[in-house]
Amino acid sequence: MTLRQSFLGFVLLSLCMGTHPCWSQTFTDLPSKTIILSEKEISLKNLADSFREQTGLTLDLGKQNPDRRITLDWQKKPFWEALDSIAKQTRCRVELTGSGVALVESDSENISVIRGPFRLSPSTINIRRNLATQQSTGNLTMELAWEPSLLVFRSDSIFRASEAKTDSGTPVRTDSSATRYLVEGRTAQLNLNFSQVARAAQSISFKGEVHLTISRNWIVHQLNPSNGKLLTPQDANVMLTIKKWSKTGNDLTVDIAYEYPKDVVWESFENPFERNTLELISPSGKVITPSRSESQQNETRYIFKGTVGELGADWKVQYRLPRAFEEIKIPFEFRNIPLP
């Protein structure tokens, strides 16, 4: 059995998820970005323009003819469903890029599961068989992607499987050491390692969940360019303190502390605040970023060297940090994935 054939099993998963969602009732649904098109038949070029206007992301058409017209019916179409409908009509798969998404010609359809702002897609499945014991060990890899409006800071690296069995109903041992890691961008790579699969097994099924640490969106504060004092109201859950604002010549040093609710715990080696940004914006719109920054626990020092000589009352100072963090669990179920 080939890897391509094994992907057919994921079609069963998609159908299952589409008609009988395998998500826990305790999971709080997160809203999905929706896209609207006023015209049902549209050229790919105009579609890409509309997609960028509504999402802020680039839709790279790849080798597709930009004048080609396709038929769409989008009335508040969820983000991932919209991309899948484009991929289906253009016979492409959708790949994430640094600036957005790209259409890549492909003979096989996109195999994925969509839940709100998340998309779960298989990548590879590998099997190693011990000829002496007739037992197999395997690895399943998947990509978890999310919409750009959602901020994901930490993800499991291994699926937390609560149940695994072959087509005969025989239990399969899985690796439950679900370590977590900080993620960047809009994807996380996940693995599921399994063992004790008999040679006669034709397919395997899994049930479990993925844990994520997220923030729903950014808090953007405005600071006084003269003394660094806050000009915007404090968030109800996240307290921001400007501990130091020291300007000497063309240099500026700013120490910022932030206090978050205690219900989300970070390891000592984890720094979720590396994505925080401090920007000085001139009246003409020029943006100056720090020469360097230094973080420890819930405090960051930003240093601007030789770049702020003209900083005055007509400038803007903007600080961005995530809203309160949340821990969420995403249940999943894969049924009858053919073994290669």
Side-chain angles (χ1 to χ4, degrees):
M1 184 175 295
T2 66
L3 180 59
R4 180 184 177 85
Q5 289 173 320
S6 70
F7 275 165
L8 294 177
F10 286 100
V11 176
L12 298 176
L13 163 64
S14 299
L15 293 175
C16 164
M17 293 293 288
T19 56
H20 301 286
C22 303
W23 295 67
S24 168
Q25 293 181 353
T26 60
F27 175 76
T28 302
D29 282 326
L30 296 169
S32 175
K33 170 68 178 177
T34 57
I35 304 175
I36 298 175
L37 286 180
S38 58
E39 50 183 317
K40 292 184 179 181
E41 188 173 297
I42 187 172
S43 71
L44 290 178
K45 179 182 182 302
N46 290 341
L47 173 60
D49 292 340
S50 181
F51 184 81
R52 183 179 62 254
E53 291 172 0
Q54 296 187 52
T55 67
L57 299 176
T58 299
L59 175 59
D60 184 348
L61 301 178
K63 296 181 179 180
Q64 296 295 305
N65 182 353
D67 296 324
R68 177 184 175 183
R69 303 183 72 84
I70 61 176
T71 301
L72 300 170
D73 185 11
W74 289 359
Q75 296 300 322
K76 294 187 176 180
K77 191 78 166 178
F79 179 86
W80 290 115
E81 291 182 23
L83 287 175
D84 280 355
S85 65
I86 298 172
K88 185 175 182 179
Q89 289 204 45
T90 58
R91 297 183 64 85
C92 292
R93 68 176 185 271
V94 176
E95 291 188 356
L96 298 180
T97 66
S99 59
V101 293
L103 297 180
V104 180
E105 292 184 354
S106 175
D107 292 332
S108 58
E109 294 185 11
N110 286 327
I111 305 299
S112 61
V113 175
I114 298 170
R115 178 63 174 186
F118 297 102
R119 184 184 73 170
L120 201 59
S121 303
S123 176
T124 59
I125 183 170
N126 296 306
I127 298 289
R128 297 183 62 184
R129 195 176 300 278
N130 187 311
L131 299 179
T133 64
Q134 299 297 297
Q135 296 291 312
S136 295
T137 59
N139 172 267
L140 172 69
T141 63
M142 301 187 74
E143 179 186 76
L144 180 67
W146 48 87
E147 296 177 13
S149 59
L150 184 65
L151 308 176
V152 178
F153 287 83
R154 185 168 54 186
S155 170
D156 283 339
S157 61
I158 297 177
F159 288 125
R160 297 173 184 257
S162 59
E163 180 181 315
K165 58 185 178 181
T166 63
D167 50 299
S168 65
T170 304
V172 175
R173 176 176 293 180
T174 59
D175 182 359
S176 60
S177 57
T179 58
R180 308 179 73 186
Y181 70 106
L182 292 180
V183 298
E184 296 182 2
R186 292 181 284 124
T187 63
Q189 299 300 314
L190 304 170
N191 292 281
L192 179 59
N193 300 317
F194 54 92
S195 59
Q196 295 186 347
V197 180
R199 185 178 181 83
Q202 298 296 310
S203 65
I204 191 168
S205 300
F206 301 102
K207 183 184 294 185
E209 61 190 11
V210 177
H211 294 191
L212 301 175
T213 306
I214 71 165
S215 177
R216 305 234 173 183
N217 47 42
W218 297 106
I219 302 170
V220 180
H221 278 297
Q222 303 296 328
L223 279 59
N224 188 314
S226 300
N227 52 27
K229 292 185 178 180
L230 281 178
L231 300 176
T232 46
Q234 290 276 16
D235 181 86
N237 298 307
V238 179
M239 182 65 64
L240 187 70
T241 303
I242 311 301
K243 300 183 66 175
K244 181 178 181 180
W245 180 275
S246 176
K247 185 175 181 296
T248 304
N250 291 338
D251 299 341
L252 175 67
T253 300
V254 183
D255 290 350
I256 298 181
Y258 21 84
E259 183 176 347
Y260 280 76
K262 305 298 184 183
D263 49 345
V264 173
V265 178
W266 299 95
E267 302 292 341
S268 59
F269 58 86
E270 294 177 323
N271 182 11
F273 305 109
E274 291 182 342
R275 299 192 211 173
N276 294 11
T277 59
L278 178 61
E279 296 179 336
L280 312 179
I281 306 172
S282 74
S284 65
K286 178 183 177 182
V287 177
I288 298 177
T289 57
S291 305
R292 71 175 190 272
S293 61
E294 305 165 353
S295 296
Q296 56 178 5
Q297 296 181 337
N298 286 16
E299 184 174 331
T300 303
R301 167 168 290 182
Y302 298 94
I303 301 172
F304 298 81
K305 296 291 293 183
T307 59
V308 295
E310 301 177 2
L311 182 63
D314 53 349
W315 284 54
K316 292 182 180 179
V317 180
Q318 186 168 281
Y319 191 68
R320 187 191 72 172
L321 72 167
R323 292 195 185 278
F325 297 107
E326 301 175 46
E327 299 278 21
I328 65 172
K329 300 177 181 180
I330 310 175
F332 66 89
E333 183 175 355
F334 298 143
R335 298 179 182 178
N336 301 322
I337 303 174
L339 295 172

